[in-house]
């Protein structure tokens, strides 16, 4: 059972229709689920638009996809395969003097534009 103190259903996803425009009363919201039944239920309360989050980084006036993908690596280094990207990352790690470890490491902080 869900109990809502507000005089409407939908909690923080509630929208008011003002002159034909859905206004998010409690701020913009993004809802994620892979469960079709849940998606249909939530959309019975208020209609959601499909949205894909596609963040980019602006580095020295150039835009790069986040999280990093092969397009990002191509933009940075003109590499076309995961093996080529790994080789560049490995070389940058070696150039910075970091030791190799058996533990997984985040290398995103080590990546620079050559």
């Amino acid at each position: 059972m869900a109990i809502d103190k507000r005089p409407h259903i939908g909690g923080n996803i509630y929208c008011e229709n003002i002159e034909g425009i859905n206004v998010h009363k409690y701020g913009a919201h993004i809802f994620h689920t892979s469960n079709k039944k849940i998606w249909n239920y939530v959309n019975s309360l208020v209609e959601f638009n499909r949205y894909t989050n596609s963040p980019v980084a602006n580095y020295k006036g150039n835009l790069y996809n986040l999280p990093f993908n092969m397009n990002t690596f191509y933009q940075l280094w003109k590499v076309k395969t995961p093996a080529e990207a790994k080789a560049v990352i490995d070389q940058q790690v070696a150039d910075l003097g970091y030791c190799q470890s058996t533990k997984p490491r985040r290398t995103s902080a080590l990546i620079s534009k050559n």
Side-chain angles (χ1 to χ4, degrees), residues 21-41:
I21 299 171
N22 282 333
V23 176
H24 306 292
K25 185 167 178 77
Y26 304 104
H29 39 269
I30 301 172
F31 179 77
H32 301 274
T33 183
S34 59
N35 186 309
K36 186 81 168 167
K37 189 173 179 179
I38 292 171
W39 179 255
N40 290 337
Y41 172 74

Side-chain angles (χ1 to χ4, degrees), residues 58-78:
N58 184 338
Y59 177 69
K60 295 185 178 180
N62 294 314
L63 299 179
Y64 299 96
N65 298 91
L66 294 176
F68 291 153
N69 58 37
M70 285 308 301
N71 185 50
T72 313
F73 297 137
Y74 180 78
Q75 288 178 286
L76 289 168
W77 309 314
K78 304 298 183 226

Side-chain angles (χ1 to χ4, degrees), residues 9 11-17 22-25 29 46-47:
I9 62 172
N12 287 343
I13 65 170
Y14 177 74
C15 292
E16 291 181 350
N17 190 304
N22 282 333
V23 176
H24 306 292
K25 185 167 178 77
H29 39 269
V46 62
E47 184 179 352

